[in-house]
Amino acid sequence: MAEMNNIASGANIHINTHRQILSVSSNGSNCDKMEHKAGGWFAEHCPIWPGQAHLLKVEKVLFEGKSKYQRMMVFQSSGYGKVFVLDGALQLTEKDECSYQEMMTHLPLCSIPSPNKVLLIGGGDGGILREISRHKSVDQIDICEIDTMLIDVYKQFFPDIAVGYDDPRVKLHVQDGTEFLQSVPNATYDAIIVDAFDPIRAEHELFDSPFFESAAKALRPGGVMCIQAESLWYQSLDIEQLVSRFRHVFGGSISYAWTVVPTYPSGVIGFLLCSTEGPYVDFKKPVNPMDPDQISGVAKQPLKFYNSEVHSAAFCLPTFAKRRN
Amino acid sequence: MAEMNNIASGANIHINTHRQILSVSSNGSNCDKMEHKAGGWFAEHCPIWPGQAHLLKVEKVLFEGKSKYQRMMVFQSSGYGKVFVLDGALQLTEKDECSYQEMMTHLPLCSIPSPNKVLLIGGGDGGILREISRHKSVDQIDICEIDTMLIDVYKQFFPDIAVGYDDPRVKLHVQDGTEFLQSVPNATYDAIIVDAFDPIRAEHELFDSPFFESAAKALRPGGVMCIQAESLWYQSLDIEQLVSRFRHVFGGSISYAWTVVPTYPSGVIGFLLCSTEGPYVDFKKPVNPMDPDQISGVAKQPLKFYNSEVHSAAFCLPTFAKRRN
């Protein structure tokens, strides 16, 4: 992270026109002043991806603020629509949020017949709620999100995403996710979607907490959980170890899938799909397919990314990722 | 492209630590001087992707030069191994070249039984030669590459890629691709791989040249061609129009596939697979599968990315891309 800190601590970057090498040198100045000028660029700090950065041109900063839990920023980019940044990390852009939200939701919900009760932990933006809302079989959508300011900011600046809250089946629980899970009666949910943490890795401290055990108990037999799980290109990704840890906790089938999100580091993100002991779930085969042309629930547009072919393809891994297994 | 030109014309970029907004302002200085310092960054100019840039940290510039045809630079990056830059555009990195080279080669060669004669146009780096070399059925590998300096630079700095030239079946033709194709007797090749142009789009001037017609004639009936064909996320990509133009020229089946390359803009790149009239080619089904663990030909390592599952998955398109069809 020395490189990114170099930049982040107020360096001058000099860009050489013809050879395109930027020389970075610290100028020692205090850079805490806000920069709202048109013509600015947003750069993401990404500790696990040193030596690279993705820049988005900022047309206008629309919001900056800090809740009890985190810092937030919304800006209008010139190429990706509005962008939401949480504690310095890019959360989503209007242009490419579709792949993450749709895959995160429909990979689990299309893998089981007629999901009925669904819990979302985190995902305060409302995009996954919007996607759950497309499922007619669902009659209860609980969301556990602790940061109400985040919800308000999304409702103000991203109405097409926060539209998920308009579904009357949605019930918001403003609470810590682990606490909420521990209060849930056993076998309550058909599906739990966890959109609350950094991408999960085998060494993640969450495995030492009661979080996943509580999630497994909150699922019915053969119920499913989906959580984001690191890029395929991340050198230390060990899918076999991840699968083995989750299998130990959930007891059913566990599969790794992935999708593309251009504005995430390396352009891809993985998902861990977990089922509890009970009716066998073959995540690769969508038993509950969706009509790609239908507009249902509170979503105002049909699916942009997900379809049954893309669902199954998401489980096909490059050889290097299989070999790490 | 005003944004990138702003940067490229010698701007100072000021990075704000906490809010991560870069302010860009032209400083009017002459930036033509080479910057070889450690701590520099490489940024790609990409006219069709305004408002974004991908930066790679430069550990050391290893080579800069200019052939009769193009400017070249090789640098050691901190996260992606060695990087080759051609006329300012990132061509490949050691870390992620595998997905492009393997998919570009094996998508066409695994779609037909026992390919025998293969032509590569461009691809002077040798990586596609290395991949063709894995196919035992092949007994003739012609490469038409006009820039011998590019070949030499790759041989010097990227021996694991340029290793493709070590295959005794390889014959190098230093010539313009269109001229070479026009000199080829009809129905000579089972497969042609074109790695010589910017990603093809329906409005590409190549359609007005005899290039594709000559390529189609140079293929046997039911022979196949593969050419790179723009990112799925590129707003103006019109797959249907592309397919229709290529079908008109080639007369057989035409399919669009895609793969992930983290260091390319938007993180993905497409391929057009074309077959000539003759025995039907179903590109989605690899009839000539490869053993992912075998090391064959001049390659020193087994396949890193390609396998039969990834082959078929490459043809599954997100809904937004299908809808554009």
Side-chain angles (χ1 to χ4, degrees):
Chain A
M1 263 309 284
E3 309 85 285
M4 296 307 290
N5 284 336
N6 258 347
I7 291 192
S9 60
N12 277 323
I13 302 190
H14 186 232
I15 305 192
N16 182 307
T17 314
H18 291 130
R19 288 172 196 83
Q20 296 170 297
I21 297 290
L22 317 188
S23 70
V24 180
S25 61
S26 172
N27 61 6
S29 71
N30 180 347
C31 301
D32 282 351
K33 208 172 121 277
M34 275 171 41
E35 294 284 349
H36 279 195
K37 300 173 200 170
W41 292 73
F42 166 79
E44 189 176 31
H45 295 205
C46 199
I48 70 164
W49 297 97
Q52 66 177 298
H54 194 245
L55 305 189
L56 291 180
K57 191 172 192 310
V58 178
E59 293 296 327
K60 191 178 181 187
V61 175
L62 302 171
F63 175 82
E64 281 191 292
K66 196 171 182 309
S67 74
K68 195 172 152 191
Y69 305 100
Q70 46 207 348
R71 284 181 295 113
M72 301 167 206
M73 178 174 70
V74 178
F75 68 87
Q76 181 70 48
S77 72
S78 60
Y80 281 84
K82 286 201 277 278
V83 179
F84 190 97
V85 179
L86 201 59
D87 283 339
L90 185 147
Q91 292 298 295
L92 61 77
T93 80
E94 286 183 319
K95 178 166 176 176
D96 66 5
E97 56 101 14
C98 60
S99 57
Y100 181 78
Q101 317 262 30
E102 293 183 17
M103 295 297 273
M104 184 80 157
T105 308
H106 306 304
L107 287 177
L109 295 191
C110 295
S111 293
I112 53 174
S114 302
N116 185 244
K117 293 184 195 330
V118 182
L119 169 63
L120 171 60
I121 297 188
D125 55 83
I128 291 173
L129 294 179
R130 176 193 68 200
E131 295 308 316
I132 298 170
S133 170
R134 298 185 193 271
H135 289 265
K136 289 176 185 158
S137 65
V138 171
D139 66 15
Q140 180 180 334
I141 308 174
D142 288 329
I143 169 170
C144 178
E145 167 62 62
I146 204 165
D147 196 340
T148 54
M149 179 171 158
L150 180 139
I151 298 172
D152 292 339
V153 173
Y154 269 104
K155 283 183 175 175
Q156 184 176 352
F157 293 102
F158 298 86
D160 292 345
I161 297 174
V163 68
Y165 289 100
D166 293 349
D167 191 308
R169 295 168 291 181
V170 169
K171 188 171 176 199
L172 171 63
H173 305 263
V174 180
Q175 199 176 344
D176 169 77
T178 305
E179 275 175 31
F180 180 80
L181 279 173
Q182 287 176 328
S183 74
V184 167
N186 282 2
T188 298
Y189 295 106
D190 300 285
I192 299 177
I193 299 171
V194 182
D195 185 29
F197 312 108
D198 284 343
I200 193 76
R201 293 187 288 278
E203 69 274 21
H204 204 293
E205 59 191 12
L206 270 181
F207 284 106
D208 300 325
S209 84
F211 184 85
F212 290 126
E213 273 187 30
S214 305
K217 280 186 191 151
L219 284 172
R220 68 160 169 82
V224 294
M225 187 195 75
C226 180
I227 185 168
Q228 68 162 310
E230 206 50 85
S231 159
L232 281 172
W233 295 97
Y234 178 58
Q235 208 70 40
S236 308
L237 174 67
D238 185 331
I239 296 175
E240 189 184 19
Q241 207 186 342
L242 259 184
V243 166
S244 145
R245 294 203 76 160
F246 276 104
R247 184 170 292 129
H248 183 72
V249 179
F250 284 83
S253 61
I254 314 286
S255 292
Y256 183 90
W258 60 291
T259 194
V260 288
V261 185
T263 53
Y264 284 3
S266 85
V268 304
I269 189 71
F271 304 105
L272 241 295
L273 281 300
C274 309
S275 68
T276 54
E277 220 178 326
Y280 179 71
V281 179
D282 181 353
F283 285 109
K284 295 166 201 179
K285 296 196 180 128
V287 294
N288 179 29
M290 302 188 74
D291 177 348
D293 295 318
Q294 202 179 3
I295 300 179
S296 53
V298 295
K300 297 198 171 73
Q301 292 188 311
L303 291 163
K304 286 185 187 169
F305 194 91
Y306 178 89
N307 56 56
S308 291
E309 282 176 32
V310 161
H311 179 124
S312 297
F315 295 89
C316 298
L317 302 184
T319 302
F320 69 77
K322 285 186 175 188
R323 208 168 272 144
R324 284 199 213 121
N325 284 4
Chain B
M1 263 309 283
E3 310 84 286
M4 296 307 291
N5 284 336
N6 258 347
I7 291 192
S9 60
N12 276 325
I13 302 190
H14 185 232
I15 304 193
N16 182 307
T17 313
H18 291 133
R19 289 173 194 81
Q20 297 170 297
I21 297 291
L22 318 187
S23 70
V24 181
S25 61
S26 173
N27 63 4
S29 71
N30 179 347
C31 299
D32 284 351
K33 206 172 123 276
M34 275 170 42
E35 295 285 350
H36 278 195
K37 299 172 199 169
W41 292 73
F42 166 80
E44 190 177 29
H45 295 207
C46 199
I48 69 162
W49 296 96
Q52 66 176 297
H54 194 243
L55 304 190
L56 292 180
K57 190 172 192 314
V58 178
E59 292 296 326
K60 193 178 181 188
V61 175
L62 303 171
F63 176 82
E64 282 189 292
K66 195 171 181 312
S67 74
K68 195 173 153 192
Y69 306 98
Q70 44 208 350
R71 284 180 297 114
M72 300 167 206
M73 176 174 71
V74 178
F75 69 85
Q76 181 71 44
S77 72
S78 60
Y80 282 83
K82 287 201 277 274
V83 179
F84 190 97
V85 179
L86 201 60
D87 282 338
L90 186 147
Q91 291 298 296
L92 61 77
T93 81
E94 285 183 319
K95 179 167 176 175
D96 65 6
E97 55 102 14
C98 61
S99 56
Y100 180 79
Q101 315 261 30
E102 293 183 17
M103 295 296 274
M104 184 81 157
T105 308
H106 306 305
L107 286 177
L109 294 191
C110 294
S111 294
I112 54 175
S114 301
N116 185 245
K117 295 186 196 324
V118 182
L119 169 63
L120 171 60
I121 297 189
D125 54 83
I128 291 172
L129 294 179
R130 175 193 69 199
E131 296 307 316
I132 298 169
S133 169
R134 297 186 194 272
H135 289 265
K136 289 177 184 154
S137 65
V138 171
D139 67 15
Q140 181 181 334
I141 308 174
D142 288 329
I143 170 172
C144 178
E145 167 63 61
I146 204 164
D147 195 341
T148 54
M149 180 172 157
L150 181 140
I151 298 173
D152 292 340
V153 173
Y154 269 105
K155 283 184 174 173
Q156 184 176 353
F157 293 101
F158 298 87
D160 292 343
I161 296 174
V163 68
Y165 289 99
D166 293 350
D167 191 308
R169 296 168 289 182
V170 168
K171 188 170 176 198
L172 170 64
H173 304 263
V174 180
Q175 199 175 344
D176 170 76
T178 305
E179 275 175 31
F180 180 78
L181 279 173
Q182 287 177 327
S183 73
V184 168
N186 283 1
T188 297
Y189 295 104
D190 299 285
I192 299 177
I193 299 171
V194 182
D195 185 28
F197 311 107
D198 284 343
I200 192 78
R201 292 186 289 279
E203 69 273 21
H204 204 292
E205 59 191 11
L206 270 181
F207 285 104
D208 301 325
S209 84
F211 184 85
F212 290 126
E213 272 186 30
S214 306
K217 279 185 192 152
L219 284 172
R220 66 157 168 83
V224 294
M225 186 195 76
C226 180
I227 185 168
Q228 67 163 310
E230 207 48 84
S231 159
L232 280 173
W233 296 97
Y234 179 58
Q235 209 70 41
S236 309
L237 173 67
D238 185 333
I239 296 175
E240 189 185 19
Q241 207 187 341
L242 259 184
V243 165
S244 146
R245 294 203 77 158
F246 276 105
R247 184 170 292 129
H248 182 72
V249 180
F250 283 84
S253 61
I254 314 285
S255 292
Y256 182 90
W258 60 290
T259 193
V260 289
V261 185
T263 52
Y264 283 3
S266 85
V268 304
I269 190 71
F271 304 106
L272 242 294
L273 281 299
C274 309
S275 68
T276 52
E277 220 178 326
Y280 178 71
V281 180
D282 181 353
F283 285 110
K284 295 165 199 182
K285 296 196 179 128
V287 294
N288 179 29
M290 302 188 74
D291 177 347
D293 296 318
Q294 201 180 6
I295 301 179
S296 53
V298 294
K300 297 199 170 74
Q301 292 188 313
L303 291 163
K304 286 184 188 170
F305 193 93
Y306 179 88
N307 57 56
S308 291
E309 282 176 34
V310 162
H311 178 122
S312 297
F315 295 88
C316 299
L317 302 185
T319 302
F320 70 77
K322 284 187 176 188
R323 208 168 271 144
R324 284 199 214 123
N325 282 6

